[in-house]
Every structure is written in C-alpha cells, then in structure tokens.
Amino acid sequence: MNTVKTLAQFIEQQANTTTDFILLLNDIALSCKQIARTVNRGAMAGILGSAETENIQGETQKELDIITNDIMVDALNWTGRLSGMASEEVDDPIAIPAEYPKGKYLALFDPLDGSSNIDINLTVGTIFSILEGRDGQDATLEDYLQKGTEQVCAGFVLYGPSTMMILTTGQGVNGFTLDEDIGEFVLTHQDMTIPEDTAEFSINMSNQRFWQEPVQRYIDECLQGVDGTRDKNFNMRWVASMVAEVYRVLTRGGIFMYPFDTRDPSRPGKLRLMYEANPMAFIVEQAGGVCSTGVERMMEVTPTDIHQRVPVILGSKNEVDRVVSYHQD
Ligand code: AHG
Ligand code: MN
Ligand code: MN
C-alpha cells in the first residue's frame, strides 16, 4: 500500500510537540494553501500589480504583498495560539485583538517572498519563523528580539510548479508537497541534506562594484574556473526569490549570497534578519549547511529591530566556510 503521511501526522510523531504547536502549524499551512490559490489565480483575480504604497523598508508594495499578509494575519490572530505576530509588510509588531485569547508563540513572517517575480509568473513563497513568547500575554517588542538560536520552528512554502513546504523543528529538515486532490501537504522529501561541496553560486552580479573585498575575491575565483586557483568551473543562478534559491541549495547544493554592499550606508545587506535570514539559517544548518553574515553565525546575531537587515551567505558548508575565512584574512 502506498502510505501517505500528512504534515500534521508527521509533526505529531516528532519528539516534544504540543497540541498547540501542531494546531499552529496547521493554521500556517491553511493560510499558505489560501495564498497558493490566490497567487495561482493571478491575473484572473485582477490582483497583480502595485498597491502604490510603501512598506517600512521603503519598498513599493504589490497588491499581493498586502493580500497575502492579510490572509496570514486573519488566519492566525484569533486562535489563541499566539501572543503576537511580526510581518515584513507591517511597520510595528501586530497585536492580537483584545477580544481574542493569547497563546505562547510568536509568528514572524515574510508573507510573499520574491514578489518582484509575480508580474513575470515565476516562483514566489512565504517564509516563517516561530519563537516562544510569554504565554497568555500581549507580546512586547523585546519579546520578538530573540536570537535565531531560540527559534522553535522555521519553514517556507514555495509557490512553484508544485506548492511545497520545507520545515524544521530542530529535528532535521523535511519537505512536503501540496496534494491538491486531498488538500493536504504530504511528506515527499525526508531528511533533506545539503552536499558539503558545490560548483554553483548564486548572487546578483549587477551589484558587484558595491561588494567588499572578501566577496569580490570569492566570486573572482569562481569566475576564473579551471584557469584559476579553484581549478574547477562554476555555474551561476539568480532567481531573485530567496525561497527558490534556498530550495535549490537544499536539493543540489550551492552557495547563495546577498552580501554586505556599500550602496546605502543605512542598509547592511538587503535581506531581513527576523523573517528571512534566521528562518533560512535554521533550515540550512539543520540540513548540514552553514549560514553566516560573513563575520558571525547568522543565528547568533543579536536583533535590535524586527525589520533589521543583514548580509546573508548560506549553503554548502565548504564554500560558505571559505567565504567566511576570506572575511577573516
Ligand atoms: P521580498 O520580495 O520579500 O522583498 O524579498 C525579495 C528578496 C529575496 O527574495 C531575493 O533574494 C532578493 O530580494 C532579490 O533581490 P534583487 O532584486 O536585488 O536581486
Ligand atoms: Mn522576502
Ligand atoms: Mn516579501
């Protein structure tokens, strides 16, 4: 018999899971199924395009950035499992409305990652990180500012050719594919591991003139291929959706970087620590890879703001270690 294991069944069998946590994950899965449906309807729903508003990071929001944010907030705020939420699309932490009970978890999310790819019908995703707050109380800003090492769960959902959820609770990394026939995420990719070596890098080369010396050196050496010190040829990929990039690294290895650059002194990198870099770092480390800012293990960065940006270097261990060693030189 071909046994199907759903996300809920799988989580139930993991160690140290509480009913509240299983139900919270179920709520997140439900909102991601709604987002998958919404993104999939695309132009037919008349919701592609710009909302003509800016988020706190000065980025123009897409209509879908706002719609997907609202789907997540509406699915999570009333259930009594959270003491608060933080989203890329909302300036301040999102309080649980007074009429609803509070629970012990905090959910931080990027409701639509890679939203510049919406107009061109390429893969986008949702990234989430779960922390523990103070049970039964409204979360304060300080409650959110925990290091990545404190995460109890991290995951992302890919809206690509298949809809997939990649998840860790600190017991390895597993991948689930949405079976549209039964409406459930089912286990399809058990114990995902990142090969230690790779010959594939991923970086937005158009920013090259703004990078610092260690990243310039690493990419130069990759580009020299068999004619240089690395003595092997490298391939390059850039999707401009971190979710797609990290999924590729999880399946066939690679190194992904959005490094420090000098374009804007107020921005040490593009990606956000709390709902992009940290959840991806937890997943990558659990799969045997490494995630660093270049000078510090990502999950040990002390957060100062829910929207703070960090340089990100992640993927196959030996390549990330090499880039980190260039930063130490
Ligand atoms: P978001 O759509 O949530 O703002 O994130 C986009 C991020 C990330 O997914 C991707 O790796 C990067 O931005 C792409 O940046 P460039 O457009 O500078 O290449
Ligand atoms: Mn993003
Ligand atoms: Mn986003």
Side-chain angles (χ1 to χ4, degrees):
M1 198 178 90
N2 187 11
T3 313
V4 166
K5 193 178 273 184
T6 67
L7 173 67
Q9 290 169 334
F10 178 84
I11 293 298
E12 221 174 300
Q13 288 171 350
Q14 282 200 314
N16 309 320
T17 41
T18 62
T19 305
D20 252 16
F21 177 73
I22 295 169
L23 293 171
L24 171 60
L25 256 188
N26 196 51
D27 300 335
I28 292 174
L30 176 66
S31 53
C32 291
K33 288 182 222 173
Q34 286 180 266
I35 294 174
R37 194 75 201 105
T38 309
V39 166
N40 181 262
R41 286 191 55 75
M44 290 185 293
I47 49 175
L48 301 184
S50 167
E52 284 163 12
T53 49
E54 279 190 355
N55 64 15
I56 191 166
Q57 355 225 341
E59 296 163 343
T60 304
Q61 290 174 304
K62 301 264 180 195
E63 265 187 271
L64 271 173
D65 283 321
I66 296 169
I67 292 168
T68 54
N69 177 74
D70 293 350
I71 288 174
M72 296 213 53
V73 172
D74 292 348
L76 300 175
N77 70 0
W78 59 274
T79 60
R81 292 185 260 280
L82 295 179
S83 67
M85 286 171 272
S87 165
E88 175 182 298
E89 302 305 333
V90 183
D91 300 1
D92 296 317
I94 304 164
I96 302 301
E99 64 267 37
Y100 301 134
K102 277 98 205 162
K104 77 168 175 180
Y105 295 106
L106 297 167
L108 298 86
F109 45 84
D110 174 357
L112 196 62
D113 177 62
S115 55
S116 70
N117 277 332
I118 276 292
D119 300 348
I120 55 173
N121 199 18
L122 287 186
T123 297
V124 290
T126 298
I127 311 173
F128 58 91
S129 165
I130 307 295
L131 295 165
E132 280 187 15
R134 283 174 297 141
D135 202 359
Q137 296 184 42
D138 284 312
T140 63
L141 177 60
E142 285 65 42
D143 294 333
Y144 292 91
L145 302 180
Q146 303 180 41
K147 290 183 181 185
T149 48
E150 300 302 311
Q151 294 172 100
V152 294
C153 168
F156 66 90
V157 175
L158 276 177
Y159 311 110
S162 314
T163 298
M164 286 193 72
M165 181 185 285
I166 310 302
L167 189 75
T168 187
T169 59
Q171 303 170 58
V173 178
N174 292 282
F176 303 82
T177 304
L178 181 62
D179 182 335
E180 305 270 0
D181 291 339
I182 59 172
E184 295 276 1
F185 284 100
V186 298
L187 180 65
T188 48
H189 295 60
Q190 208 158 357
D191 284 327
M192 300 180 82
T193 50
I194 301 174
E196 289 196 347
D197 291 296
T198 182
E200 194 162 72
F201 67 90
S202 185
I203 194 165
N204 185 338
M205 288 293 296
S206 69
N207 299 323
Q208 183 172 25
R209 69 187 187 282
F210 303 114
W211 302 335
Q212 292 185 305
E213 215 283 315
V215 173
Q216 297 279 7
R217 174 181 167 193
Y218 176 80
I219 296 296
D220 269 354
E221 289 175 359
C222 292
L223 294 176
Q224 284 161 23
V226 288
D227 301 327
T229 53
R230 297 300 307 272
D231 208 18
K232 66 175 180 180
N233 291 325
F234 281 79
N235 185 29
M236 196 202 90
R237 288 284 182 273
W238 187 251
V239 185
S241 276
M242 189 190 202
V243 282
E245 240 68 85
V246 172
Y247 186 70
R248 189 185 59 248
V249 167
L250 280 165
T251 48
R252 68 177 190 217
I255 178 166
F256 165 85
M257 293 192 267
Y258 213 116
F260 177 90
D261 72 43
T262 56
R263 261 178 301 175
D264 176 348
S266 69
R267 289 183 176 189
K270 176 174 185 185
L271 299 171
R272 277 66 45 124
L273 175 65
M274 303 299 291
Y275 41 78
E276 290 178 320
N278 266 341
M280 291 310 199
F282 193 16
I283 291 166
V284 165
E285 282 197 11
Q286 283 291 316
V290 178
C291 182
S292 170
T293 63
V295 295
E296 195 175 8
R297 180 183 172 210
M298 187 63 67
M299 289 203 286
E300 276 167 15
V301 173
T302 303
T304 54
D305 184 295
I306 53 168
H307 297 293
Q308 90 191 64
R309 296 176 190 261
V310 280
V312 175
I313 300 163
L314 65 78
S316 291
K317 183 178 184 316
N318 292 337
E319 293 301 308
V320 179
D321 284 351
R322 177 182 283 268
V323 181
V324 170
S325 78
Y326 289 0
H327 282 79
Q328 287 158 355
D329 282 352

